[in-house]
Amino acid sequence: MRSNSITIIRGGTVQVEHTLFSGQSFVWNKSNHTPGIYSSVIDGSSVLIQQINPTSFSVTTGANNLYGIPLRRFFERYFSLDIATQMLFDEEFHTRFPELTARLLYLEGLRVLRQDPYETLVTFMCAQGIGMAMIRRQVSMLCRCFGRETKEGVNGIDTPLFSFPAPSDLAGADPELLRGCCNNNSVRAGNIREASRLVALGKLDLQALSDPSLPLSELQAELTALKGIGYKIADCIALFGMGRFDAFPIDTHVEQFLSAWFGIGSHQKGLSQKRYLHLQEKAVDLLGTSLSGYAGHHLFHCWRTTERNMKAF
DNA sequence: ATCCAGGGAACCC
DNA sequence: GGGTTCCATGGA
C-alpha cells in the first residue's frame, strides 16, 4: 500500500503525493491558458495548485498557516490523506465485481476533499438540474460580485482572485445582483440569500452540524428543512463540506451506475423521495456504512469518465 | 433542432 | 403515495 504524504518544499509550498486532483470542487478555478493549474482562495489567501505528474502536485500560498493551522497539517486534512483508496472497497466487493475493481484502479488517490461547509452549502445549491459548466460559472460570479479580492497574490496567478463570499455578504446581497449570479434563477437566489441569512444570524450552525457523532438522518433532516435543499444536495453538503464520508448522494449519474453495475433500481426517470432513500439504503448495504459516500464518489467518477466519456472537470 | 446537464418544489389527481 | 411541469441556459 502506498503511503500518503505531504512534503514541505519551501516556506509556502507543500507537495502532495499519491493524490489525483480531479477538480471535484466548484471553488477551484482551472487556469484558462496553463493546463494543470488550479487556483482558489482559502482563509483569505490565494492558493495555487500545480500538477507535477498525474498523481502528485504542489500547493503554494503566501500564508504560513490557514485557519491558524500549519500548512502541512491543514492540507493533510483538506486532502483527506487519512483515507487510503484501499479502504473503500472490501474483499467481498472485489470478488463480486472483479472487472469493476480493475477499472477503478486508475482512480487510486482520488480524494474527497474536506471543504468549508458554507461554501459547499451554497455551491451545491447552485447545482440543480444544470451542467457543471453552469454551476462553475455561478460560483465564479458569486465570488467576483460578493467576495473579497485577495491582497497578496501567488506567483503564476495573473488574474485577480476573489474569496468565496461570507454568509453576511450573501445575506445582505442585492436581490437583482444575486439573481444575475444564480443563472437568472430568482427562486435559487432567494433560497441562497435566506440560507446565508440563517448562517449569519447563527440560527443555522454548520459547525455544530459537522459534529461526526450526529446521526446522518438528523443531519439530513436539518439540511432538507431549508428551502432549495432536498436529499441529494443535503447529502452532497454532508459528504463534501462536513467530512461525512458515510453520506451517499444520488444524482442522475449515481442512479445510472447503481442500475447498470449493481442491479440496484431499474432505469427510471425521476427520483422520488421514497425511491431516493430506498436506493440509498441498497447502496450503503453494498458499500458499507462508514465510507459509502467516499466510495460512491470513486464510482461516480469512474462512470462519468469511462462509461459516459465525460471530462473529469 | 432537440436533449441533457451532479434537482427541487409547486401542483395535479 | 406517484406523475408532470416549471425554473433557466449553454453546450453537444
Side-chain angles (χ1 to χ4, degrees), chain A residues 231-246:
Chain A
Y231 284 134
K232 191 269 173 180
I233 302 296
D235 287 333
C236 280
I237 297 166
L239 176 61
F240 298 114
M242 294 175 163
R244 292 302 297 257
F245 299 150
D246 49 343

Side-chain angles (χ1 to χ4, degrees), chain A residues 1-7 14-20 55 57 72-85 87 109-114 245 294:
Chain A
M1 185 185 293
R2 288 179 182 174
S3 62
N4 307 320
S5 63
I6 285 188
T7 313
V14 299
Q15 180 171 332
V16 184
E17 292 160 0
H18 308 314
T19 302
L20 297 181
T55 60
F57 51 82
R72 193 167 71 86
R73 202 146 58 78
F74 176 84
F75 285 115
E76 277 175 355
R77 183 181 135 69
Y78 186 80
F79 290 111
S80 304
L81 294 197
D82 52 316
I83 306 295
T85 305
M87 300 159 68
L110 174 69
R111 304 185 187 289
V112 172
L113 306 180
R114 286 190 175 93
F245 299 150
Y294 204 120

Side-chain angles (χ1 to χ4, degrees), chain A residues 150-213:
Chain A
T150 50
K151 300 133 280 227
E152 96 276 356
V154 173
N155 288 343
I157 299 183
D158 44 7
T159 55
L161 268 183
F162 294 86
S163 70
F164 194 84
S168 57
D169 295 332
L170 294 187
D174 171 58
E176 280 304 295
L177 186 57
L178 187 56
R179 184 173 66 87
C181 295
C182 296
N183 205 22
N184 279 328
N185 188 322
S186 56
V187 176
R188 178 177 307 160
N191 290 339
I192 288 173
R193 209 174 108 102
E194 174 61 10
S196 299
R197 195 181 67 83
L198 293 174
V199 174
L201 288 174
K203 293 184 178 179
L204 177 61
D205 189 346
L206 297 177
Q207 296 304 326
L209 291 178
S210 301
D211 181 348
S213 68

